[in-house]
Amino acid sequence: MANPAPVNVAFITSHPTQYHSPFFRVLSREPGIDLTVCYCRDFGIGKTSLDPGFGTRISWDLPLLEGYRHIFFSNFSPRPGSGLAGQFNPGLIRWLLAERPDLVILHGWMTATNWMAAAACRAAGIPLILKGEGDLRRARGAWRKSLRRAPLRFLTATAAAGLYSCSANRDYLASLGIPPDRLFFFPCAVDNEFFRRQAAAPPEEPPLRRELGLDPGTVIVLFSGKLIPRKRPLDLLAAFNRARFRSPAALVFLGDGQLRAEIETGAEDSPGPVVVTGFVNQSGIGRYYREADIFVLPSEWDPSPKAVNEAMNFSLPLLLSDGVGTARDLVRPEANGFVFPAGDVGRLRELLETLAEDPDRRRRMGAESAGIVADWSYENEAAGTAAAVARAREGRR
């Protein structure tokens, strides 16, 4: 008996990223799926592009377009971005209606193009799978929540399936009306193999600690991400400044952004060195993770920050706020880290002191982190996607 024809899947997303492109290569190898990735912007590809969060122009130093079929569609927005008016791609809609793929996966619903694509799928009878990374904990007024959720419920009512990145995201999609039997796990993943190769790389000369002017035994507390208000890097600085460390400690902010100057000013009274690296591209971030001892992310709201997975691949213990969407999945309290209330600087200070003085505990926790994150892989993302595709196709028959 001949194998059935592969399912033509169009995956609509904003722009190439260092996290999704390796996944598309894996999904392209999935039996039974014929993948085309539809991009709405060329941000970060072959040129420097302004990233408002980092506050600088960037161009990723990894191959983001190799190993899978993709199409860029012209974006006619006067202010390209991720908001409603940031993407307007009529050519994509014409392509959908002309090519009529068997199924469409829509990443997000924040842009005009996303809503036009959903309408085109409904008009053409093309099954739609939704993938979003929101959760129920983002602070909003009741009227804003109501206005936002009403159209989303209309959208999710027509979805053949949904892909969720963590348990908080699953709860959010379920609250919008997608039944449990149409929700499939798409773990928030990074390229584990890429980061584990960096973790296992031989020590560099000169060592990072020497380059940063730190003593060999200094405990390095690491934050990685954009220095923006919702990630609350100033909370970490405040906790570090108040901490009473028994041995030398340093705080490294791996990233850049609008709060950089305030961090550098606030570091003047710190008990140890505070370093702000500025933007560091993917090929260079491993040296910071490899030398770190504790990873901290104190965000107010952060649905699925990939820096957490990166840190786990380097066997780091985690201190995450309860504003981090993946915290309840990736942190096993006291086994590989702790979760603290967002904004609770006092509790964060206590946890920093606890881990800084116990290297054996940090090593045990770090090993646990590495074991947990192994299952959060591109292969499991592809498996979840394949299961959602099969469910969507089954529902159509």
Side-chain angles (χ1 to χ4, degrees):
M1 184 176 178
N3 291 328
V7 181
N8 294 314
V9 175
F11 197 118
I12 300 174
T13 190
S14 173
H15 60 279
T17 73
Q18 73 277 31
Y19 299 120
H20 289 152
S21 293
F23 160 68
F24 292 140
R25 288 192 278 272
V26 173
L27 186 60
S28 290
R29 300 193 295 267
E30 188 73 20
I33 291 181
D34 183 15
L35 177 68
T36 301
V37 178
C38 301
Y39 285 122
C40 301
R41 300 168 58 204
D42 62 355
F43 177 87
I45 297 296
K47 60 181 181 180
T48 59
S49 303
L50 178 64
D51 187 305
F54 282 123
T56 189
R57 302 188 72 84
I58 69 170
S59 178
W60 299 113
D61 63 357
L62 298 177
L64 300 185
L65 299 177
E66 297 178 3
Y68 62 96
R69 185 168 62 248
H70 57 275
I71 305 173
F72 284 93
F73 293 91
S74 297
N75 182 15
F76 290 94
S77 170
R79 298 184 64 184
S82 57
L84 181 63
Q87 292 170 34
F88 181 68
N89 307 83
L92 170 57
I93 310 309
R94 289 193 295 269
W95 181 86
L96 284 175
L97 295 175
E99 296 295 326
R100 292 184 180 257
D102 296 322
L103 187 143
V104 167
I105 300 175
L106 188 62
H107 185 189
W109 41 75
M110 292 295 293
T111 72
T113 291
N114 288 349
W115 283 94
M116 292 190 301
C121 288
R122 183 168 185 175
I126 301 171
L128 180 68
I129 294 176
L130 294 179
K131 179 187 179 298
E133 296 184 354
D135 58 47
L136 292 167
R137 295 159 306 130
R138 189 173 188 178
R140 292 183 184 274
W143 70 272
R144 289 188 65 195
K145 282 185 179 180
S146 179
L147 286 176
R148 181 182 175 87
R149 290 169 69 83
L152 285 180
R153 283 185 175 277
F154 174 78
L155 179 62
T156 55
T158 66
L163 296 170
Y164 65 92
S165 60
C166 62
S167 55
N169 181 224
R170 178 195 60 213
D171 294 346
Y172 178 67
L173 293 175
S175 77
L176 293 174
I178 301 181
D181 67 335
R182 289 198 276 134
L183 288 171
F184 298 86
F185 189 34
F186 183 100
C188 162
V190 299
D191 191 339
N192 290 343
E193 293 182 7
F194 172 79
F195 289 110
R196 293 196 179 202
R197 285 195 301 270
Q198 292 194 37
E204 296 180 353
E205 281 295 335
L208 179 65
R209 278 177 166 78
R210 186 193 308 167
E211 186 177 307
L212 298 178
L214 306 178
D215 294 334
T218 300
V219 174
I220 294 180
V221 178
L222 181 69
F223 169 102
S224 179
K226 297 175 180 178
L227 304 180
I228 55 179
R230 72 174 175 86
K231 289 183 179 283
R232 303 186 72 96
L234 293 173
D235 284 3
L236 174 54
L237 178 63
F240 183 80
N241 286 351
R242 299 176 193 176
R244 298 179 181 272
F245 296 113
R246 297 181 182 178
S247 57
L251 175 57
V252 175
F253 288 97
L254 177 56
D256 210 336
Q258 69 187 83
L259 296 178
R260 177 172 184 163
E262 195 169 346
I263 289 169
E264 291 175 335
T265 298
E268 294 174 358
D269 298 323
S270 294
V274 176
V275 177
V276 181
T277 67
F279 173 75
V280 178
N281 224 315
Q282 288 290 284
S283 62
I285 62 176
R287 64 197 303 256
Y288 293 92
Y289 281 114
R290 191 165 54 239
E291 292 293 325
D293 297 287
I294 304 167
F295 179 81
V296 184
L297 192 59
S299 303
E300 177 180 338
W301 181 74
D302 218 341
S304 53
K306 309 302 188 293
V308 175
N309 304 59
E310 292 171 355
M312 296 175 77
N313 276 298
F314 287 85
S315 299
L316 291 179
L318 307 175
L319 297 181
L320 307 183
S321 76
D322 58 6
V324 174
T326 52
R328 78 191 208 204
D329 300 280
L330 293 178
V331 175
R332 296 174 186 168
E334 300 195 33
N336 74 311
F338 297 91
V339 178
F340 60 92
D344 191 340
V345 172
R347 178 57 176 157
L348 177 53
R349 174 190 60 80
E350 293 172 359
L351 293 171
L352 285 175
E353 292 173 345
T354 297
L355 289 184
E357 68 184 32
D358 196 338
D360 290 336
R361 189 177 194 182
R362 293 199 305 268
R363 280 190 288 271
R364 291 195 302 271
M365 284 185 159
E368 188 76 13
S369 284
I372 293 169
V373 81
D375 288 333
W376 289 58
S377 66
Y378 290 140
E379 288 72 21
N380 284 337
E381 283 188 345
T385 303
V389 168
R391 175 66 176 84
R393 296 282 285 172
E394 177 185 301
R396 193 180 188 187
R397 290 195 290 268

